[in-house]
Amino acid sequence: MTQPPTAPPVSGPAAPAPRAGAGASLPSPRPVLPSVDPPPSAPPRRRSAFVENAGRLRAAMGTEPGRLRLIGAVLAGLTLLFGLSTYAELSDRAEAAKTARQSSQPLSRAAADIYRSLADANTTAASGFLAGADEKPEVRERYEERIGNASTLLSSAAGQVGDSDAAEALITGLNAELPTYTGLVETARANDRQGLPLGSAYLRYADEQMQETLLDPAAELYELETARYQRDLADARAWPWLSTALGGAALAALGWAQWRQYRRTNRVLNPGLVAATAAAGLLLAWLVGAHTLARSALNDAENGPGQALTTLSDAWTEAMRARGSENLTLVSRGGDIATAQNNTTFEDDYQASMDRLLADDEGAEAGLLRQALTRVGSEAGGAQVEAAIAASQQWRQRHGDVTTAETEGDYEEAIQLVIGETDSTGQSFDRVDGELRDAVGLQQKEFRAAVGSGVNWLGPVPSLAVGLALLAGTAIVLGIGRRLAEYR
């Protein structure tokens, strides 16, 4: 069967809901939405410690106690900085002066002694060669002593060159070349004892080796050590500008603080600040005075015995060169040809060395001995240099007789005039050598005494600086504290 069609739903307004109690259902309540709280406001941003401290400081600066605390802190810090700077700078200068006195200057002298020992050994070897079989034992002993002395000085210097690579390289080279030279000398002596003419050729070759591989590096070593010694003296004399400036600033600040107190309180003196001013003023006066006196002593050391010592050492070295050239003139036995090193003969070298010793010119062009005579400060030193000048003049005069004898073919007479026991150039040289040795020793003592005076002036200042700075700082704290107590 066919089902009847269902009626379509009728659209239109919904029928009203029946009232309660009338058999109709109640209307559904309106849905209640959950309440939403407003977002909490962000907490205030915390200021940094620096900003907070700065704010507190500004607030404190608005009060007199706060300003007094700040002034006290600045004054105490400035005086302590003054003391520490003085301690550091004067300690450095005192140490530089001690180094110049105890290390660098003795090393410079040791380098000069190395050069002279080598030059003297070379000269003595030539003298022994001239004597031949008649060589005296003392001549041989002198040669061996000079070689041994040079070797000892090189070993000692090797342990004291510090961080100088150039000096270490020079000393290593000298130690390596010295046995080569002594081997050549022994070969020359052996050939000469056998009457072989090859001996003189070996000795001339030994002299070339001495000049090129030993004396030239030794002279360079001397220049290096002398430059280091001069740097130490310059460091010791350098003015302590930082300490002086801080001392002046500390005194100015203390004066301003007391003037400010007077303007605000009409009180003339604050015992603490007065004591601090006295301590800082005493330290600054001691700093300036002690360094001025020390600097004067160090200048005197360098310009007086220091320069005399350098000039005398150069003169002593030049005399040894002249003696070596004179001996080698005869060793060549009339065959004195130009050397490969400087294209001059041994006779030319002798005359050049004597000119450098005795030139009569003025100032820097004067001979080394005449320069030394103007630089030595003591009467005893002047007498020694004058004696060396007289002996050098006699030596040059006697050398003329040697040249005459050699020119006339009297070789044996020429040798006696050079190495003989009476009226010989050897006697004159020995006198020059002895006088210059004594003069160098005397100037060395005077130099050490002058530098020691500078060290003595500088020595107490660092300790005094610390003590006075602490005293000044304590006095400032007490003085400012007394003023702060009035506000409690």
Side-chain angles (χ1 to χ4, degrees):
M1 293 181 65
T2 303
Q3 301 241 355
T6 58
V10 179
S11 62
R19 292 179 181 274
S25 61
L26 294 174
S28 59
R30 180 177 294 180
V32 179
L33 297 175
S35 63
V36 178
D37 295 334
S41 60
R45 187 175 182 181
R46 183 181 178 84
R47 292 186 300 175
S48 67
F50 174 78
V51 174
E52 290 183 357
N53 291 333
R56 293 192 188 101
L57 181 59
R58 283 194 298 269
M61 286 296 295
T63 65
E64 181 62 14
R67 288 190 287 268
L68 284 175
R69 289 189 180 93
L70 180 60
I71 291 171
V74 171
L75 291 177
L78 193 56
T79 54
L80 290 176
L81 189 59
F82 171 38
L84 290 175
S85 174
T86 301
Y87 176 85
E89 288 194 315
L90 270 294
S91 294
D92 287 345
R93 281 148 184 76
E95 187 62 30
K98 289 179 182 178
T99 301
R101 181 189 182 195
Q102 299 174 2
S103 177
S104 57
Q105 199 282 330
L107 272 175
S108 174
R109 183 186 176 186
D113 287 343
I114 290 171
Y115 187 101
R116 284 192 294 268
S117 294
L118 293 172
D120 197 8
N122 194 46
T123 297
T124 306
S127 297
F129 188 90
L130 288 175
D134 297 330
E135 180 184 12
K136 295 181 180 180
E138 54 266 27
V139 175
R140 181 64 180 174
E141 290 172 2
R142 177 169 175 166
Y143 166 78
E144 293 176 349
E145 178 186 354
R146 296 297 183 267
I147 292 295
N149 188 44
S151 180
T152 301
L153 288 171
L154 285 170
S155 298
S156 176
Q160 301 179 48
V161 294
D163 56 356
S164 176
D165 294 336
E168 183 178 357
L170 289 170
I171 292 173
T172 301
L174 287 168
N175 277 318
E177 293 295 336
L178 188 57
T180 302
Y181 168 78
T182 56
L184 289 171
V185 170
E186 293 307 314
T187 301
R189 291 181 74 252
N191 279 277
D192 184 63
R193 296 299 183 271
Q194 298 175 35
L196 300 175
L198 196 59
S200 61
Y202 268 108
L203 192 64
R204 288 197 299 272
Y205 182 58
D207 176 72
E208 290 179 9
Q209 292 298 107
M210 171 63 76
Q211 300 295 332
E212 296 175 3
T213 65
L214 291 172
L215 290 184
D216 285 351
E220 188 175 349
L221 178 64
Y222 171 69
E223 291 174 358
L224 280 174
E225 296 302 334
T226 300
R228 180 160 65 165
Y229 138 70
Q230 290 173 343
R231 284 195 302 271
D232 288 335
L233 271 186
D235 290 342
R237 293 197 307 266
W239 189 264
W241 291 110
L242 178 60
S243 298
T244 306
L246 287 173
L251 285 177
L254 284 165
W256 171 83
Q258 293 171 85
W259 174 81
R260 179 182 182 277
Q261 175 180 293
Y262 170 73
R263 290 290 302 271
R264 287 180 172 268
T265 65
N266 207 28
R267 295 176 182 176
V268 178
L269 298 177
N270 179 304
L273 296 183
V274 170
T277 303
L282 177 60
L283 177 54
L284 182 60
W286 192 282
L287 164 68
V288 173
H291 195 274
T292 298
L293 293 171
R295 194 176 189 184
S296 176
L298 294 173
N299 282 333
D300 289 344
E302 183 179 22
N303 299 327
Q307 283 193 357
L309 190 59
T310 300
T311 306
L312 285 168
S313 295
D314 292 343
W316 195 3
T317 299
E318 204 63 58
M320 289 183 177
R321 287 176 179 165
R323 180 62 175 170
S325 298
E326 182 180 52
N327 287 340
L328 287 168
T329 299
L330 293 182
V331 167
S332 63
R333 296 176 184 258
D336 186 9
I337 58 176
T339 61
Q341 185 180 14
N342 51 16
N343 200 32
T344 57
T345 65
F346 292 122
E347 177 65 20
D348 292 337
D349 292 340
Y350 167 82
Q351 295 296 343
S353 292
M354 296 304 289
D355 286 341
R356 285 190 285 270
L357 280 175
L358 296 171
D360 291 328
D361 296 333
E362 298 294 331
E365 301 299 324
L368 290 170
L369 288 175
R370 300 192 185 281
Q371 290 182 38
L373 186 60
T374 63
R375 292 173 178 173
V376 294
S378 63
E379 184 177 346
Q384 291 166 341
V385 177
E386 287 177 348
I389 292 174
S392 297
Q393 291 171 336
Q394 182 189 63
W395 177 12
R396 195 167 203 175
Q397 192 174 27
R398 289 176 174 178
H399 181 80
D401 298 335
V402 175
T403 303
T404 300
E406 184 187 15
T407 302
E408 292 176 354
D410 194 346
Y411 183 72
E412 294 300 325
E413 176 66 15
I415 290 179
Q416 288 303 311
L417 290 173
V418 171
I419 63 173
E421 295 183 359
T422 58
D423 299 331
S424 66
T425 60
Q427 284 184 315
S428 300
F429 166 75
D430 288 341
R431 186 181 173 194
V432 173
D433 181 65
E435 295 292 349
L436 291 178
R437 185 186 304 276
D438 292 342
V440 166
L442 179 61
Q443 295 304 309
Q444 182 74 22
K445 291 179 182 178
E446 292 182 1
F447 174 83
R448 288 179 61 84
V451 175
S453 177
V455 173
N456 291 338
W457 281 112
L458 291 173
V461 180
S463 299
L464 183 69
V466 174
L468 287 176
L470 290 175
L471 176 61
T474 303
I476 290 169
V477 171
L478 294 176
I480 296 296
R482 183 175 179 179
R483 286 282 294 120
L484 288 172
E486 298 173 0
Y487 290 90
R488 295 173 185 168

